[in-house]
Amino acid sequence: MEPATQNPLLEIPEQPEPEEQRPVTTPPRLRTVNRDQSLVAQIWVDELIGPDHKARAIWELVGQLDLSPFEEPLKSRQGGAGRAAWDPQLLVSLWVYGYSEGIGSAREIERLMQWEPGFQWLAGLAQVNHHTLSDFRVAHRQPLDGLFAQLLAMLESVGLLSLERVMHDGTKIRAQAGADTFRREESLRKHLERARQAVEALAEETAEAPAGDRRQAARQRAARERKERIEGALQEWEKLTAESSEKEKAEQRVSITEPEARRMKHGDNAIAPSYNAQLSTDAQNKIVVGAHLSQSSGDARSLQQAIDEVEENLDRAPAQVVVDGGFTNRDNIKACAERNIDLVGSLADPVERSEASMKAAGIDPAFAPHHFKILDNGKQLECPGGCKLKYAGQSRKREDLYRQYRAQGADCQACQYQKRCCPNQVEKGRTVSIRVEEQADVAAFRKKMEQPEQKAIYRQRGPVAEFPNAWIKEKLGLRKFRVRGLVKAETELIWACLAYNVMQWFRLTWRDAAAA
């Protein structure tokens, strides 16, 4: 019998022995980079960015708005001589896109137009000079205000804002002026005299210089502009000190490079030349509906102007305005009531306010007026130390009625609590004012704000009102203005708010429509 045939599939060949590794004697073969060459590339401009890129949204939106006010000052006309002007749609779109990318420099936009896809697509690979961009940003304030109002009207028409509830807040933005440019009156006049002498000397040199000397003309222009700035600083100083005492005048300082800037305290406790940006934000979708700059570090006097801005932009005032304690005072309560605007705000607690006032005057808060006892139906007061204060009369402060009481100087000098209770002018004795009557409108407002629903509305203020402040500073990069002067700085603020609103429109509507 023959043996069974072996299945070849079951035969497992013997593994070959590994070859002995030989030493490498030749270098590796690599692809090198050759930069010594030129390349002609074919670029399809429309494919530089995707279909949902925000540059497309900005171009589309700006194209829907009326830009004719930007075209009216242009000297280049059809059939006339000269070079064609840049389309305002392009210049507006470049600035809005630039701010949306946190870029506020005209030179930086000019540089990025050479390679950044969004700028390349907007300009069709063309180059716009930074002088053109810079001049366009600050030279069209009224058309810019109209453009801002047009955008708000469009957002309202699609239901993105209602003005039923507007949150208002202020934020400090640094000015271009340096902290070391502030001078007193005497120094300002010395600088002005030197500037005048420089202008006169350069005028004599220019008369002797050959015609068409551009360098000499530039020097003369720079000297003349410096003289004008210092003259403006002196005028600003006179305006600030018009109602000041001689001591206050001696201490008042103004910047010689940006007279309209004011030294303000920021959230990080830094004191720097700044402007106070006032923004009104619609609560529905956090759309900025009004913006302006204030030269005051405090917010109290800015609310009515802010409401006027909103009314001018949208042809009606907001139904309700929500503000913080910096704006809540009797003047604003009364003004809003007269305009049929429901004001929601935060009134300072009278006890806390009194104790803070005492501390600022060097008096221990334990000896604030509310710690004094009223005796004899208001004819006397008793201080925490046991001394009696006699009734001295009535007075009104912020239209509230106060009763005034005065202690004897001898009693205060002999009191063991003198340094804590009466540290100043002890020989005259301590004077204490007790409020006995609060204005009816303020009292009614305080009572209204004790209601739970009003407190719930007020709690919404922070997330809405402070959102555009943070966005403009962090995302748009506007922590410091790139231009000088109140008018130009306010113009830049409007550009930033315009870019902010465009980005909200892009987030709320265009992105979803493009994806669909």
Side-chain angles (χ1 to χ4, degrees), residues 221-266:
R221 183 176 63 253
R224 185 173 61 252
E225 290 174 352
R226 175 175 173 79
K227 180 179 77 72
E228 291 172 354
R229 283 198 302 270
I230 298 175
E231 287 175 343
L234 195 56
Q235 292 174 2
E236 196 73 16
W237 182 90
E238 292 173 351
K239 184 174 70 174
L240 286 172
T241 58
E243 300 179 359
S244 302
S245 64
E246 291 300 322
K247 182 179 180 180
E248 292 172 338
K249 287 182 178 181
E251 295 298 323
Q252 185 65 56
R253 301 181 184 185
V254 175
S255 170
I256 59 175
T257 60
E258 193 171 358
E260 294 169 311
R262 299 288 183 267
R263 289 185 292 185
M264 299 181 184
K265 188 175 182 180
H266 290 248

Side-chain angles (χ1 to χ4, degrees), residues 482-498:
R482 283 88 170 182
V483 292
R484 293 182 185 272
L486 179 64
V487 174
K488 291 183 178 180
E490 192 171 64
T491 302
E492 185 175 16
L493 176 66
I494 300 300
W495 275 111
C497 291
L498 179 70

